[in-house]
Amino acid sequence: MQLLIDNIIRPAPNVTHLLLKFDLDMPVERTVLQPKFYYSCMKVILDILENLLKPDVNALLHEFGFQLLYELCIDPLTREPTMDLLSNKKYHFFIKHLDTICIAPLPKRNSDQPLRISSLHQRAWLLKLLAVELHAGDVSSSTHREACQTILSHLFGQDMLEIGGGQAMSPFSLQTTYENAAIRTVSKSKVLELLEIIQFRCPDTSSKLSNIVAGLKYDLQAEDILGNPGNSGKGGVYYYSERNDRLIDLASFHDKLCQVCNLGSEVELIDVRETIQQLLRWGWKYNKNLEEQAAQLHMVTAWSQIVEVSASRRLAMLEDRSEILFQVLDASLSACASPDCSLKMAFILSQVALTCMAKLRDERFLFPGSLSSDNITCLDLIVVKQLSNGACLTILFKLIMAILRNESSEALRRRQYALLLSYFQYCQNVVDPDVPTTVLQFLLLSEQDNEYIDLPKIDKEQAELAHANFSTLRKEAQSILDLVIKDATHGSEPGKTISLYVLDALICIDHERYFLNQLQSRGFLRSCFTAISSVSNQDGGLSLDSLQRACTFEAELALLLRISHKYEKSGSQVLFSMGILWHLSPGRVISSQGGLRRVETRHRRDMATDIDRQRMIVTPILRLVFSLTSLVDTSEFLEVKNKIVREIIDFVKGHQPLFDYILRVDIAEADDLRMEQINLVVGILSKIWPYEESSEYGFVQGLFGLMHALFSRDLKVSSFAQSISPENQRNSELQMFKLCFSLNSYLYFLVTKKSLRLQSSDASSSYPTSVELQQPTLSLLNSLLTSVTTALERAAEDKSLLLNKIRDINELSRQEVDEIINMCVQQDYVPSSDNIHKRRYIAMVEMCQVVASWDWQIILLLPLSEHVLNIILIHLQESSVASDSTLITKTNTYGAKYDPEQDIAFLCGKLVPALERLELLSEDKIGRNLKVFHRLVTSAKEIAIQKLVL
């Protein structure tokens, strides 16, 4: 058997291929094995493994037989013919022993430990063999499909779905409920029985003899022999068994002991012999205990493989998938928190739990494939597989116990922290997050049978779960925070990063400022500020170590930003009062020497480094500074001693190259990262720069230059650009309008608070030099208003059209559904072979996302148009353009023939058509109350018409 196993990897054809009767006259992978018709080693092995006779005598033979079949199934050459053979109906090998040796009780350690060890290995190889079939089996073949279905059915005890036209086996039918997690009546699956089998405390394998042979005269010499690195090689006291376990060579150990023991009188000789015998007995027991520990770990690994492969690749074949995942997750966490669970086992079980949690999240928003009807409703957009609050809290409680286990390590806690973050994300949404609530409410109103849909009840249950999560965590908050803060402060860089995101998640569910107060009282926020101020990236690029530190730095800023957003102004006030701006300023993380050299002067490698720096350092800092601008109150404009404004202005002045560079980025070539930075910089400057009287920094000219670049252009992104997906196109348009909103808000502030008055057109401008120095004009604002009006009309029309299509989704033909999918998503995203039900579902969800995008545009465009109208209205009501402003020293004109009244009349002539179009906007299509908006439009139109008449 060992010969066969060792030779599998040798070049083909080899002795293993010959003895197992692979046809050596043709490529090995094309062989059709028929062991029942030919006398071969394969026939003998299959006969032995079919009955597993005399297990106490043939244990190793059975064990290596299973290992041989596993090695054949993972070898690239022998995999296909071997798996075809084992999945054949004549053998049913893959499921033959699931009901026998797999779940049979283990032999007792005291009575037959070698058989116990071999039994564990047999089950491990068998489970790994089944995992290979689930992973690599070709389900398009009826034999492999049936084999996979039968394996899953036996493992999880669940009904099967029909896959690929084949009828699945359904040996079990489970009635499950999520109403009460504490009283489940589901029959136990074999997966859980297998996990129970391997949950036992393994004997200690420590090589220290002081606690085992205490008082013996030569225990220290024995420890020196076993601990000497020189004794590990050839001729040493250790050897590797056929299972690759590092064991003590008892004969060599005996010889070494004899060499170091001093032989004196007859009495001493007897004492030495007795001591050596005790040490050898300990060595034999050490070997067996180590073998048992390795066997247990082997079976845990195999169990984890079959569970993870089933969850990742074959879960769609099962009914009640969420229930299965919950059971495995619950059992894994219970085992992980058990005192019998070793550190290595806990690590493996935590990874299984992490996989199950991730699949639970996926299950909530997957297409409801079990529905057979061709019709879909808004019910399909609501998650029906959400675990009950009781089940969720069970997961959280057991996860906390697993994190707080006595024997732990940072590597294990990193897995558990990732699981905790995944759990919090699972608890956040009941309704598909891609479907906005406003759209769902519209659909509910159009449903005839909507009495079973109660959104307020869903919201209430979600609020109750959030509060229960907080209460559960608060009970163990001191211990949890001790661990997380320790890892965030003294752990490795990856450990620090994920620990910071755990603290971020705790802030998210903080209902009473409890966790914020804890972070303050423990001094963690202060240490976080100190760590931020100490960051200094070298100009030469980001090495692996500095990149990991940059990830931690990004997580630190994300935590502070979460505090600012979660607690709103009070959170921002906490950060500001602790001097966050002072800690950000000394660092060189966003200096012009490191992050702002122009891309065209760099090598390609430096460009990638700059992208990392911009994404991980510069942008998070700008986000944090922008969040602090929420503390700026425009009502305090005349208050000179506004400390918040002064400190933010000082920060901006200290990083003038950064702000100046971003303001001058070409909008037409800006990617998503640059567009976000431009929006952040403009947002910061629009809030605080009106308080600054000095004009030496050039920011006003930069903002005015952006206005000229944006307000006069068509803000719609070309839909003919083949490289831009529909989703990216909508996002780009939204970013453009956000930028226009920020710029216009700044201009609105100047007009209303600082009495800035604009010229009506470029012909009346006081700056005959470069466009960048010109103020925006009323004509430019009118151009922006025209673009916004067009965008509002398009958004309202498309939103209304799509809502009607969503409502009539079941009436649309396949061609119409395909056109919708092609319009909303990229062609290769959705396979054309999907049935009409699934394609209607996809089209419905995609249309809901597009409607949400139009809704966001409408929410942004309405106040933007109001600001533009108010600015124009102020100027029209004054009957003439102001000739002076706080930012202009004097007004010049181009020639004596310039007529301001004629210029105003010309402006009004272009303004009235846009106002008339805005008057026609329908509340039904916009989805907003437009009474106040229409009054503003009417007032502006009346004055504009009066100017035309005059």
Side-chain angles (χ1 to χ4, degrees), residues 516-563:
L516 177 61
N517 293 335
Q518 285 290 317
L519 295 182
Q520 284 184 276
S521 62
R522 291 166 178 257
F524 178 76
L525 286 185
R526 183 66 62 188
S527 64
C528 192
F529 286 0
T530 304
I532 287 174
S533 63
S534 66
V535 172
S536 178
N537 288 312
Q538 298 299 321
D539 190 39
L542 292 173
S543 64
L544 178 60
D545 292 338
S546 62
L547 185 60
Q548 289 178 340
R549 179 66 189 101
C551 291
T552 304
F553 182 79
E554 184 182 23
E556 289 165 345
L557 292 177
L559 173 62
L560 300 182
L561 186 61
R562 179 70 64 187
I563 290 173

Side-chain angles (χ1 to χ4, degrees), residues 569 631-639 642 691 749 753:
K569 285 191 175 183
L631 298 174
V632 179
D633 192 346
T634 56
S635 63
E636 300 175 355
F637 174 66
L638 298 177
E639 185 181 341
N642 193 323
Y691 296 84
F749 188 93
K753 297 292 185 180

Side-chain angles (χ1 to χ4, degrees), residues 389-407:
N389 287 0
C392 291
L393 293 174
T394 298
I395 293 173
L396 179 59
F397 175 76
K398 292 189 176 181
L399 177 55
I400 292 174
M401 294 300 100
I403 293 174
L404 297 178
R405 55 177 278 131
N406 291 328
E407 187 183 11

Side-chain angles (χ1 to χ4, degrees), residues 867-900:
H867 278 179
V868 174
L869 285 173
N870 278 318
I871 293 174
I872 294 176
L873 191 59
I874 289 173
H875 288 78
L876 293 181
Q877 286 173 340
E878 293 180 353
S879 301
S880 61
V881 178
S883 62
D884 190 18
S885 72
T886 56
L887 297 180
I888 305 175
T889 56
K890 64 179 181 177
T891 301
N892 298 321
T893 59
Y894 290 103
K897 294 183 178 180
Y898 170 69
D899 185 358

Side-chain angles (χ1 to χ4, degrees), residues 16 41 93 112 115 164 320 331 359 447 465 497 510 515 632 688 788 791 883 942:
T16 301
C41 289
F93 186 85
D112 201 341
L115 181 59
D320 297 324
K359 294 305 294 185
E447 290 285 338
L465 176 60
T497 302
D510 193 3
F515 289 113
V632 179
I688 56 96
V788 170
S883 62
E942 290 175 354

Side-chain angles (χ1 to χ4, degrees), residues 3-4 6-8 10-11 13-21:
L3 174 72
L4 292 173
D6 291 342
N7 278 274
I8 289 176
R10 297 182 66 84
N14 56 49
V15 67
T16 301
H17 300 150
L18 175 66
L19 293 176
L20 295 179
K21 288 298 180 182

Side-chain angles (χ1 to χ4, degrees), residues 596 598-600 652 655-670 674-675 677-679 681-682 685 689 695-707 709-710 739 743 770-774:
L596 301 176
R598 295 190 178 275
V599 173
E600 56 266 23
V652 172
H655 298 88
Q656 180 190 358
L658 170 69
F659 284 78
D660 186 65
Y661 171 71
I662 293 177
L663 283 177
R664 283 161 176 74
V665 170
D666 187 353
I667 297 293
E669 299 180 0
R674 290 297 184 189
M675 279 301 300
Q677 290 181 350
I678 295 171
N679 268 299
V681 164
V682 171
L685 292 175
W689 206 250
S695 59
E696 62 179 292
Y697 290 90
F699 293 139
V700 175
Q701 291 86 345
L703 293 172
F704 285 170
L706 274 177
M707 293 179 194
L710 279 177
L739 186 54
L743 289 169
S770 72
V771 174
E772 205 173 85
L773 297 178
Q774 287 185 352

